[in-house]
Amino acid sequence: MLKFILRRIGVSALVLLGASFLMYMLVINSGDPLKDLRESNAQNREQLMAQRAELLRLDDSPLERYWDWLSGVLGCFTGNCDLGVTINGVQVLGLTQQAAASSLRLITLATLLAIVVGVALGILTAIRQYSGFDYTITFSAFLFFSLPVFWAATLLKEYAAIQYNNWIAVGQYAPWTIVIAAAVVGFVLQAVLGGSTRRRLVTAGSAFAFVAVVMFVFNALNWWREPTFGLAGVLVVSGAAGVLVTALVTGLRNRRVLYAALTTTVVGVVAYLAFAPLLVNQPSWLLLAGLFVLTLLVSAGIGAAWGGFSRRQAVLVTLVTGVITSLLVVGDILIANWASFLGLKSRPISTIGSQTPNFTGDFWERVLDMGTQIILPTVLLTLVSVATHSRYTRSSMLETLNQDYVRTARSKGLSEREVIVKHAFRNALIPITTIVAFDFAALIGGAVITEQVFGWKGMGALFQDGLNAVDPAPVMAFFLVTGVAAVLMNLVADLAYAALDPRIRR
Amino acid sequence: MKIRRLSAAVAVAASGALLLSACTSPAGNDEPAEGESTAASAAADGPCKADIGDVTTADGEIKVSNEDEFLGYNSNTPETYSTYNTAVTDRLFSGFWYWGVDGTVCPDEAYGTYEAVSEDPLQVEYTLNDEAAWSDGTPVTYADYLLDWAAQAVTEDGKVTDDASETPLFNHISGLTLGDYVPEGPQADSPDAKSFTYDYERVNADWRILINSPFPAHVVAEQAGVSTEELVTAIQDLDMDVLKKAAEFWNEGWLSQPGEVPDPALAPVTGQYDFKADGWEAGQYITLEANDKYWGTPAATKELTFRVVGADAQIQALANGDLDAINPNGPTVDTVQQLEQLGDAVKVETGQTLTWEHLDFNFGSGVFADSLEAREAFAYCVPRQKIVDDLIKPIDPEAVVMNAREVFPFQTEDYEATVSEAYDGRYDEVDLDAAKEKFEAAGLEEGTTIRIGYAAPNPRRAAEVEAIKASCDQVGFDIQDSAAEDFFDKDLPNGDYEVALFAWQGSGQITSGENIYSSTGQQNYGKYSDETVDEAWKTLSSTTDEAVHAEQRVVIEKQLWDTLFGIPLFAHPGVIASSSSVSNVRATAAQGGVVWNAEQWSRAS
């Protein structure tokens, strides 16, 4: 295995080297770096052009320039990285770190969401093939996939930012909004759950009633401006999540695992009570990270203790439940801070930027600020990726569902859950892994437009500004990051194959 | 210049104020807003900054768009010199003058005064305000200006420049021009003198804009390891040991890594705004804070934030309150329409800018080189009015065809005086008959190919060429759109075009046109040569007398029209918009952009 990894890395390094040479040559020949000066009417234009030519070393041979760049990059292995300076005299290394940090923040969340939502939708549509739900998702997937990003961004900004901000100033649903929203939820739910006409009607009717009542209660409580969730909310929702995860992984008949999940939930809520003063009074990222690790350890412990013969599954379930519970705890604190956040920032969703300039809130309010700023670009990136993920998952899932061994599994009397989760889904995951890994690498490069329209200076801006100025240093830095990301993600995909498919491990 | 919604808003505000002061309004619960800045909004009068009376800095933040990242305190190096960087740094420095909205040179008397004590030989005396001081308390003095001169005069070899062509020691955007004109440098009694004189070796017609704000000599001296007095002596004696260290710091010491606010000890300011500690988030924004050490009229609002936003995203950000003032680069019809849809929440101002579009003939080769009639035939068929009506008026309804090169239509008095003398309006309307006549007189054949070259991609210029083609093909020309990405690199210097279509950015200098129209000018791409024009430029640039400038300008313009150097088309339109809760935002044609009077902006809460 190690030999395989090393060989892969070696080959990738060679590919990167060749590609970097090609890229460098393409960039320096992509235009005229003196263009703006040629159009200038400054008196000392010639001098300025000579100065620029010296800065960019236009008179040296391309090979020399490439070698210089390469030796700067190779310096990274010996601790003195030099990625060069931009046409504006700024160190590219620092610039790249900032850009990569901001891009990764944007992309990580979008990718995770896209994987979860996309794969889930793919499975559901595969199971309900040719149903109304399937057609709706297929239609939306193609719609979102073909959306011009800048246009979708404009719409998002108009409705999810400007109109939402206008609305949140009051925070009350109009009666017709309640009716329409409830009707839509009812319709979608009956389409997803399916069944006989009668069952569909019951589903739709009860969903309609439930949503309408909830929205009415929200109105009455002025929930959108002063929301609360509370300990009870955390307990109920994480408990439900625990039951759901158990149902998916082992089935509810495995009581040990179910109890393990529920124990995790209870322990999580108790821990929330215990740590609440700390979380409210001295919050920090370090504390959150520490508590998260603690959560993982405790959850795994609970799973192992309850697990018995199904220890592995129990640990998996408690880990997932633990993570969900901790997210809910953070969510609860954020919700509790929403009212004071609205006091600081009356229009919570901005159309640009990754944070409000000079925002002066406490820790949780700052988290909310960054959270509200990241929503729109994340939604946009997610929509596009969800479309691809769901389509690939659907076809891959359909293919496995039609395999002989799935029919065998069904005919030997396994429950539908076991057939789908254990036998079909796991095998369907193999091709999806490749897509997801590639997608992550591609997203870094593909977020160029999203970053631009939402005013994030990330890798996209680095690439674009560099290329516009025919300035190789930042473009090559972009290439380094995306190239290395692509190589790494491919490696991860290979390793994931091995984990998913025992045949590959040999 | 069109001030559309603004005037309406001012009128409404004014009538509202009347009602309130009369106290007879039946709507008595209309209380005046609390915490309003004391900066009154004054109607703009003249091209310079309006007098807004006594100002106390009000708390609050005004956010303005800036399309690129801040680079550093020193905007005068070629690496950092950009509209977006100076948008920030111009707030940090005050100087002897600034550009008014129509390109007028406006003096800033709070900073100092200057006058030409002798016209020929030109001698200019500058006197700093006694209170003028850096934010660290050091007064602004002669030493700062001597360093400013040294940065534009000393060559790499440790000499004062001879003809501005040597390699300079300092990496200054303006090269060695100042040293070329003033080889002796500014003269004063002592390093800390508040008054000093520049003796020009030969007259520079643009003397008014040559000296403005300096960098702090005391900081440079400290970084070079000497005292300010020693630095002054070193410059006077051209002591290269010290100067090299000083230049090294001047060139690189003020560059910033994005996000790291310059150290206040290294970057003191003289303007109404100063850096704010921790006020810079890389790629996101930079916030300036009112400079409480400023001696004159202070900034009206405490914080000014420049957010890095592309032109596409600015309008929605304005609508959402993420920005208070925007200045989208390259506004289109869409820009204006979207802004208008925002209704009363924003004030929109459209107008012309100091960049102007023109068609230039190739005198080096091709059919237009030697034939005035051919050029006239072309000029008669170019639909200038149609181009302006179709492409520019939707953005700026007041746009007009431009009939001069050295003055802009919005510089009303000068423009009318010049155009009325220099141009009789013969090419105002398309005259196909006259064009055909000239076409025949020139002996041109039907289907003569005319390549109109410009830098692609540029949709507006493509549309212009299309309009010209529709009209001029009827005369017998065969107009070809020969746009190329490397037009300025290849086709233009090689002369592979008949007509070049591009824009000059007006620099505000009186003499910058000499480079374009005189026979030996560097920017005379078309190899135009005319004795009358050369002579007139010589006369113009060798005097400081404004009457002579105006007179020679007419001579030049007339000759350029008569010999048809080229055809001016229009001044590029500009759009600014601001939230209606912010007052005193005012458009300018000059390059400074909307932030040019940012210290006067105030918010009515």
PDB file of all heavy atoms in Angstrom, chain A residues 37 44 48 53 71 97 107 141 199 201 229-230 240 272 297 315 326 358 387 389 396 402 417 448 460 476 490 494 505:
ATOM      1  N   LEU A  37       0.650  50.437 -20.120  1.00  0.00           N
ATOM      2  CA  LEU A  37       1.622  51.518 -20.299  1.00  0.00           C
ATOM      3  C   LEU A  37       1.654  52.008 -21.740  1.00  0.00           C
ATOM      4  O   LEU A  37       1.879  53.185 -22.001  1.00  0.00           O
ATOM      5  CB  LEU A  37       3.014  51.050 -19.882  1.00  0.00           C
ATOM      6  CG  LEU A  37       3.180  50.815 -18.389  1.00  0.00           C
ATOM      7  CD1 LEU A  37       4.568  50.273 -18.084  1.00  0.00           C
ATOM      8  CD2 LEU A  37       2.958  52.107 -17.625  1.00  0.00           C
ATOM      9  N   ASN A  44       7.165  59.954 -18.998  1.00  0.00           N
ATOM     10  CA  ASN A  44       8.302  59.043 -18.861  1.00  0.00           C
ATOM     11  C   ASN A  44       7.871  57.611 -19.140  1.00  0.00           C
ATOM     12  O   ASN A  44       8.272  56.678 -18.460  1.00  0.00           O
ATOM     13  CB  ASN A  44       8.903  59.152 -17.459  1.00  0.00           C
ATOM     14  CG  ASN A  44       7.874  58.875 -16.404  1.00  0.00           C
ATOM     15  OD1 ASN A  44       6.680  59.088 -16.615  1.00  0.00           O
ATOM     16  ND2 ASN A  44       8.311  58.387 -15.262  1.00  0.00           N
ATOM     17  N   LEU A  48       9.027  53.906 -17.635  1.00  0.00           N
ATOM     18  CA  LEU A  48       8.118  53.038 -16.901  1.00  0.00           C
ATOM     19  C   LEU A  48       8.075  51.657 -17.531  1.00  0.00           C
ATOM     20  O   LEU A  48       8.038  50.644 -16.839  1.00  0.00           O
ATOM     21  CB  LEU A  48       6.710  53.635 -16.880  1.00  0.00           C
ATOM     22  CG  LEU A  48       6.561  54.922 -16.068  1.00  0.00           C
ATOM     23  CD1 LEU A  48       5.154  55.464 -16.185  1.00  0.00           C
ATOM     24  CD2 LEU A  48       6.909  54.674 -14.609  1.00  0.00           C
ATOM     25  N   ALA A  53       9.563  46.035 -17.433  1.00  0.00           N
ATOM     26  CA  ALA A  53      10.237  44.918 -18.100  1.00  0.00           C
ATOM     27  C   ALA A  53      11.292  44.316 -17.176  1.00  0.00           C
ATOM     28  O   ALA A  53      11.472  43.099 -17.130  1.00  0.00           O
ATOM     29  CB  ALA A  53      10.879  45.389 -19.396  1.00  0.00           C
ATOM     30  N   SER A  71      12.930  27.288  -8.817  1.00  0.00           N
ATOM     31  CA  SER A  71      13.846  27.157  -7.682  1.00  0.00           C
ATOM     32  C   SER A  71      13.261  27.842  -6.452  1.00  0.00           C
ATOM     33  O   SER A  71      13.471  27.382  -5.333  1.00  0.00           O
ATOM     34  CB  SER A  71      15.240  27.691  -8.006  1.00  0.00           C
ATOM     35  OG  SER A  71      15.163  28.791  -8.847  1.00  0.00           O
ATOM     36  N   GLN A  97      -1.507  32.473   0.701  1.00  0.00           N
ATOM     37  CA  GLN A  97      -2.028  31.939   1.955  1.00  0.00           C
ATOM     38  C   GLN A  97      -3.381  32.549   2.268  1.00  0.00           C
ATOM     39  O   GLN A  97      -4.342  31.856   2.605  1.00  0.00           O
ATOM     40  CB  GLN A  97      -1.053  32.220   3.102  1.00  0.00           C
ATOM     41  CG  GLN A  97       0.140  31.294   3.063  1.00  0.00           C
ATOM     42  CD  GLN A  97       1.274  31.795   3.921  1.00  0.00           C
ATOM     43  OE1 GLN A  97       1.256  32.934   4.397  1.00  0.00           O
ATOM     44  NE2 GLN A  97       2.272  30.950   4.123  1.00  0.00           N
ATOM     45  N   ILE A 107     -15.253  26.888   0.142  1.00  0.00           N
ATOM     46  CA  ILE A 107     -15.490  25.675  -0.629  1.00  0.00           C
ATOM     47  C   ILE A 107     -15.757  24.467   0.251  1.00  0.00           C
ATOM     48  O   ILE A 107     -16.576  23.625  -0.075  1.00  0.00           O
ATOM     49  CB  ILE A 107     -14.273  25.428  -1.527  1.00  0.00           C
ATOM     50  CG1 ILE A 107     -14.312  26.450  -2.634  1.00  0.00           C
ATOM     51  CG2 ILE A 107     -14.278  24.042  -2.088  1.00  0.00           C
ATOM     52  CD1 ILE A 107     -12.973  26.765  -3.170  1.00  0.00           C
ATOM     53  N   ALA A 141     -32.201  19.509 -11.201  1.00  0.00           N
ATOM     54  CA  ALA A 141     -30.760  19.269 -11.320  1.00  0.00           C
ATOM     55  C   ALA A 141     -30.239  19.850 -12.626  1.00  0.00           C
ATOM     56  O   ALA A 141     -29.231  20.562 -12.641  1.00  0.00           O
ATOM     57  CB  ALA A 141     -30.470  17.774 -11.261  1.00  0.00           C
ATOM     58  N   ARG A 199     -52.863   7.531   0.866  1.00  0.00           N
ATOM     59  CA  ARG A 199     -51.727   7.802   1.731  1.00  0.00           C
ATOM     60  C   ARG A 199     -51.088   9.145   1.368  1.00  0.00           C
ATOM     61  O   ARG A 199     -50.723   9.937   2.233  1.00  0.00           O
ATOM     62  CB  ARG A 199     -50.700   6.689   1.581  1.00  0.00           C
ATOM     63  CG  ARG A 199     -49.754   6.664   2.773  1.00  0.00           C
ATOM     64  CD  ARG A 199     -48.791   5.521   2.696  1.00  0.00           C
ATOM     65  NE  ARG A 199     -47.499   6.002   3.163  1.00  0.00           N
ATOM     66  CZ  ARG A 199     -46.364   5.341   2.986  1.00  0.00           C
ATOM     67  NH1 ARG A 199     -46.374   4.190   2.348  1.00  0.00           N
ATOM     68  NH2 ARG A 199     -45.244   5.833   3.442  1.00  0.00           N
ATOM     69  N   LEU A 201     -52.591  11.663   0.076  1.00  0.00           N
ATOM     70  CA  LEU A 201     -53.452  12.754   0.544  1.00  0.00           C
ATOM     71  C   LEU A 201     -53.239  13.004   2.029  1.00  0.00           C
ATOM     72  O   LEU A 201     -53.136  14.154   2.485  1.00  0.00           O
ATOM     73  CB  LEU A 201     -54.932  12.415   0.279  1.00  0.00           C
ATOM     74  CG  LEU A 201     -55.413  12.771  -1.123  1.00  0.00           C
ATOM     75  CD1 LEU A 201     -56.853  12.315  -1.319  1.00  0.00           C
ATOM     76  CD2 LEU A 201     -55.313  14.280  -1.344  1.00  0.00           C
ATOM     77  N   PHE A 229     -34.525  28.092  20.800  1.00  0.00           N
ATOM     78  CA  PHE A 229     -34.529  26.690  20.435  1.00  0.00           C
ATOM     79  C   PHE A 229     -34.551  25.898  21.731  1.00  0.00           C
ATOM     80  O   PHE A 229     -35.473  25.147  21.996  1.00  0.00           O
ATOM     81  CB  PHE A 229     -33.295  26.404  19.594  1.00  0.00           C
ATOM     82  CG  PHE A 229     -33.291  25.073  18.931  1.00  0.00           C
ATOM     83  CD1 PHE A 229     -34.311  24.702  18.077  1.00  0.00           C
ATOM     84  CD2 PHE A 229     -32.246  24.185  19.151  1.00  0.00           C
ATOM     85  CE1 PHE A 229     -34.288  23.468  17.459  1.00  0.00           C
ATOM     86  CE2 PHE A 229     -32.223  22.962  18.524  1.00  0.00           C
ATOM     87  CZ  PHE A 229     -33.245  22.595  17.679  1.00  0.00           C
ATOM     88  N   GLY A 230     -33.546  26.166  22.554  1.00  0.00           N
ATOM     89  CA  GLY A 230     -33.581  25.670  23.921  1.00  0.00           C
ATOM     90  C   GLY A 230     -33.103  24.239  24.072  1.00  0.00           C
ATOM     91  O   GLY A 230     -32.919  23.494  23.115  1.00  0.00           O
ATOM     92  N   ALA A 240     -34.126  12.519  17.826  1.00  0.00           N
ATOM     93  CA  ALA A 240     -34.715  12.084  16.562  1.00  0.00           C
ATOM     94  C   ALA A 240     -33.624  11.728  15.568  1.00  0.00           C
ATOM     95  O   ALA A 240     -33.717  10.717  14.858  1.00  0.00           O
ATOM     96  CB  ALA A 240     -35.598  13.197  15.998  1.00  0.00           C
ATOM     97  N   TYR A 272     -23.899  19.775  27.507  1.00  0.00           N
ATOM     98  CA  TYR A 272     -24.240  21.143  27.116  1.00  0.00           C
ATOM     99  C   TYR A 272     -24.537  21.974  28.355  1.00  0.00           C
ATOM    100  O   TYR A 272     -24.004  23.085  28.532  1.00  0.00           O
ATOM    101  CB  TYR A 272     -25.439  21.105  26.169  1.00  0.00           C
ATOM    102  CG  TYR A 272     -25.938  22.454  25.689  1.00  0.00           C
ATOM    103  CD1 TYR A 272     -25.096  23.568  25.637  1.00  0.00           C
ATOM    104  CD2 TYR A 272     -27.247  22.603  25.256  1.00  0.00           C
ATOM    105  CE1 TYR A 272     -25.557  24.785  25.188  1.00  0.00           C
ATOM    106  CE2 TYR A 272     -27.719  23.818  24.801  1.00  0.00           C
ATOM    107  CZ  TYR A 272     -26.869  24.910  24.773  1.00  0.00           C
ATOM    108  OH  TYR A 272     -27.331  26.119  24.330  1.00  0.00           O
ATOM    109  N   LEU A 297     -14.627  11.524  21.300  1.00  0.00           N
ATOM    110  CA  LEU A 297     -14.105  10.484  22.177  1.00  0.00           C
ATOM    111  C   LEU A 297     -15.231   9.873  23.000  1.00  0.00           C
ATOM    112  O   LEU A 297     -15.386   8.656  23.079  1.00  0.00           O
ATOM    113  CB  LEU A 297     -13.027  11.074  23.096  1.00  0.00           C
ATOM    114  CG  LEU A 297     -11.737  11.473  22.381  1.00  0.00           C
ATOM    115  CD1 LEU A 297     -10.757  12.106  23.359  1.00  0.00           C
ATOM    116  CD2 LEU A 297     -11.117  10.236  21.733  1.00  0.00           C
ATOM    117  N   VAL A 315     -20.559   2.220  17.244  1.00  0.00           N
ATOM    118  CA  VAL A 315     -19.633   3.357  17.323  1.00  0.00           C
ATOM    119  C   VAL A 315     -19.917   4.337  16.194  1.00  0.00           C
ATOM    120  O   VAL A 315     -19.966   5.551  16.398  1.00  0.00           O
ATOM    121  CB  VAL A 315     -18.162   2.865  17.274  1.00  0.00           C
ATOM    122  CG1 VAL A 315     -17.218   4.043  17.101  1.00  0.00           C
ATOM    123  CG2 VAL A 315     -17.827   2.100  18.543  1.00  0.00           C
ATOM    124  N   SER A 326     -23.596  17.915  18.716  1.00  0.00           N
ATOM    125  CA  SER A 326     -22.727  19.079  18.980  1.00  0.00           C
ATOM    126  C   SER A 326     -23.062  20.214  18.021  1.00  0.00           C
ATOM    127  O   SER A 326     -23.049  21.388  18.419  1.00  0.00           O
ATOM    128  CB  SER A 326     -21.258  18.687  18.865  1.00  0.00           C
ATOM    129  OG  SER A 326     -20.996  18.156  17.594  1.00  0.00           O
ATOM    130  N   ASN A 358     -15.261  46.058  10.289  1.00  0.00           N
ATOM    131  CA  ASN A 358     -15.218  46.610  11.643  1.00  0.00           C
ATOM    132  C   ASN A 358     -16.382  46.156  12.505  1.00  0.00           C
ATOM    133  O   ASN A 358     -16.947  46.923  13.260  1.00  0.00           O
ATOM    134  CB  ASN A 358     -15.189  48.139  11.598  1.00  0.00           C
ATOM    135  CG  ASN A 358     -14.123  48.652  10.669  1.00  0.00           C
ATOM    136  OD1 ASN A 358     -12.969  48.319  10.830  1.00  0.00           O
ATOM    137  ND2 ASN A 358     -14.517  49.419   9.674  1.00  0.00           N
ATOM    138  N   ALA A 387     -26.379  19.320  -8.207  1.00  0.00           N
ATOM    139  CA  ALA A 387     -26.918  18.842  -9.468  1.00  0.00           C
ATOM    140  C   ALA A 387     -26.088  17.684 -10.000  1.00  0.00           C
ATOM    141  O   ALA A 387     -26.622  16.613 -10.306  1.00  0.00           O
ATOM    142  CB  ALA A 387     -26.960  19.979 -10.479  1.00  0.00           C
ATOM    143  N   HIS A 389     -23.706  15.844  -8.362  1.00  0.00           N
ATOM    144  CA  HIS A 389     -23.644  14.719  -7.427  1.00  0.00           C
ATOM    145  C   HIS A 389     -24.904  13.876  -7.492  1.00  0.00           C
ATOM    146  O   HIS A 389     -24.844  12.660  -7.519  1.00  0.00           O
ATOM    147  CB  HIS A 389     -23.453  15.226  -6.000  1.00  0.00           C
ATOM    148  CG  HIS A 389     -22.090  15.798  -5.762  1.00  0.00           C
ATOM    149  ND1 HIS A 389     -21.031  15.500  -6.573  1.00  0.00           N
ATOM    150  CD2 HIS A 389     -21.612  16.630  -4.824  1.00  0.00           C
ATOM    151  CE1 HIS A 389     -19.961  16.137  -6.133  1.00  0.00           C
ATOM    152  NE2 HIS A 389     -20.299  16.837  -5.072  1.00  0.00           N
ATOM    153  N   SER A 396     -25.491   5.711 -10.704  1.00  0.00           N
ATOM    154  CA  SER A 396     -24.666   4.671 -10.109  1.00  0.00           C
ATOM    155  C   SER A 396     -25.522   3.748  -9.248  1.00  0.00           C
ATOM    156  O   SER A 396     -25.379   2.523  -9.264  1.00  0.00           O
ATOM    157  CB  SER A 396     -23.583   5.345  -9.275  1.00  0.00           C
ATOM    158  OG  SER A 396     -22.937   4.434  -8.478  1.00  0.00           O
ATOM    159  N   ASN A 402     -29.850  -2.793 -10.056  1.00  0.00           N
ATOM    160  CA  ASN A 402     -30.252  -3.766 -11.063  1.00  0.00           C
ATOM    161  C   ASN A 402     -29.308  -4.954 -11.145  1.00  0.00           C
ATOM    162  O   ASN A 402     -29.450  -5.802 -12.006  1.00  0.00           O
ATOM    163  CB  ASN A 402     -30.344  -3.085 -12.433  1.00  0.00           C
ATOM    164  CG  ASN A 402     -31.532  -2.153 -12.491  1.00  0.00           C
ATOM    165  OD1 ASN A 402     -32.542  -2.395 -11.836  1.00  0.00           O
ATOM    166  ND2 ASN A 402     -31.401  -1.067 -13.250  1.00  0.00           N
ATOM    167  N   ARG A 417     -34.189  -1.751   3.721  1.00  0.00           N
ATOM    168  CA  ARG A 417     -33.142  -0.892   4.256  1.00  0.00           C
ATOM    169  C   ARG A 417     -31.774  -1.553   4.105  1.00  0.00           C
ATOM    170  O   ARG A 417     -30.822  -0.941   3.635  1.00  0.00           O
ATOM    171  CB  ARG A 417     -33.404  -0.602   5.737  1.00  0.00           C
ATOM    172  CG  ARG A 417     -32.334   0.256   6.395  1.00  0.00           C
ATOM    173  CD  ARG A 417     -32.430   0.220   7.899  1.00  0.00           C
ATOM    174  NE  ARG A 417     -32.178  -1.121   8.417  1.00  0.00           N
ATOM    175  CZ  ARG A 417     -30.984  -1.685   8.497  1.00  0.00           C
ATOM    176  NH1 ARG A 417     -29.924  -1.048   8.069  1.00  0.00           N
ATOM    177  NH2 ARG A 417     -30.840  -2.899   8.968  1.00  0.00           N
ATOM    178  N   VAL A 448     -14.182  30.852  -9.202  1.00  0.00           N
ATOM    179  CA  VAL A 448     -13.708  32.163  -9.655  1.00  0.00           C
ATOM    180  C   VAL A 448     -14.855  33.173  -9.744  1.00  0.00           C
ATOM    181  O   VAL A 448     -14.804  34.253  -9.168  1.00  0.00           O
ATOM    182  CB  VAL A 448     -13.017  32.038 -11.030  1.00  0.00           C
ATOM    183  CG1 VAL A 448     -12.666  33.402 -11.566  1.00  0.00           C
ATOM    184  CG2 VAL A 448     -11.779  31.189 -10.918  1.00  0.00           C
ATOM    185  N   GLY A 460      -9.641  32.557  -6.950  1.00  0.00           N
ATOM    186  CA  GLY A 460     -10.155  33.005  -8.241  1.00  0.00           C
ATOM    187  C   GLY A 460      -9.615  34.374  -8.609  1.00  0.00           C
ATOM    188  O   GLY A 460      -9.142  34.604  -9.723  1.00  0.00           O
ATOM    189  N   MET A 476       0.790  31.223 -11.256  1.00  0.00           N
ATOM    190  CA  MET A 476       1.465  29.969 -10.943  1.00  0.00           C
ATOM    191  C   MET A 476       1.152  29.539  -9.514  1.00  0.00           C
ATOM    192  O   MET A 476       1.063  28.345  -9.226  1.00  0.00           O
ATOM    193  CB  MET A 476       2.972  30.118 -11.140  1.00  0.00           C
ATOM    194  CG  MET A 476       3.387  30.326 -12.575  1.00  0.00           C
ATOM    195  SD  MET A 476       2.679  29.138 -13.711  1.00  0.00           S
ATOM    196  CE  MET A 476       3.573  27.657 -13.263  1.00  0.00           C
ATOM    197  N   ASN A 490      -7.079  13.139  -5.673  1.00  0.00           N
ATOM    198  CA  ASN A 490      -7.041  11.886  -6.406  1.00  0.00           C
ATOM    199  C   ASN A 490      -6.501  10.758  -5.542  1.00  0.00           C
ATOM    200  O   ASN A 490      -7.003   9.642  -5.564  1.00  0.00           O
ATOM    201  CB  ASN A 490      -6.143  12.038  -7.633  1.00  0.00           C
ATOM    202  CG  ASN A 490      -6.969  12.330  -8.851  1.00  0.00           C
ATOM    203  OD1 ASN A 490      -8.068  11.820  -8.969  1.00  0.00           O
ATOM    204  ND2 ASN A 490      -6.443  13.149  -9.724  1.00  0.00           N
ATOM    205  N   ASP A 494      -8.285   7.344  -4.323  1.00  0.00           N
ATOM    206  CA  ASP A 494      -7.727   6.000  -4.445  1.00  0.00           C
ATOM    207  C   ASP A 494      -7.799   5.263  -3.123  1.00  0.00           C
ATOM    208  O   ASP A 494      -8.135   4.086  -3.055  1.00  0.00           O
ATOM    209  CB  ASP A 494      -6.267   6.085  -4.902  1.00  0.00           C
ATOM    210  CG  ASP A 494      -6.193   6.334  -6.395  1.00  0.00           C
ATOM    211  OD1 ASP A 494      -7.203   6.060  -7.059  1.00  0.00           O
ATOM    212  OD2 ASP A 494      -5.148   6.802  -6.874  1.00  0.00           O
ATOM    213  N   ARG A 505      -7.776  -3.595  -2.269  1.00  0.00           N
ATOM    214  CA  ARG A 505      -6.751  -3.568  -1.235  1.00  0.00           C
ATOM    215  C   ARG A 505      -5.632  -4.561  -1.528  1.00  0.00           C
ATOM    216  O   ARG A 505      -4.524  -4.396  -1.093  1.00  0.00           O
ATOM    217  CB  ARG A 505      -7.378  -3.880   0.121  1.00  0.00           C
ATOM    218  CG  ARG A 505      -7.536  -2.627   0.976  1.00  0.00           C
ATOM    219  CD  ARG A 505      -8.257  -2.934   2.260  1.00  0.00           C
ATOM    220  NE  ARG A 505      -9.703  -2.846   2.072  1.00  0.00           N
ATOM    221  CZ  ARG A 505     -10.573  -3.161   3.022  1.00  0.00           C
ATOM    222  NH1 ARG A 505     -10.155  -3.626   4.178  1.00  0.00           N
ATOM    223  NH2 ARG A 505     -11.854  -3.033   2.809  1.00  0.00           N
TER     224      ARG A 505
END
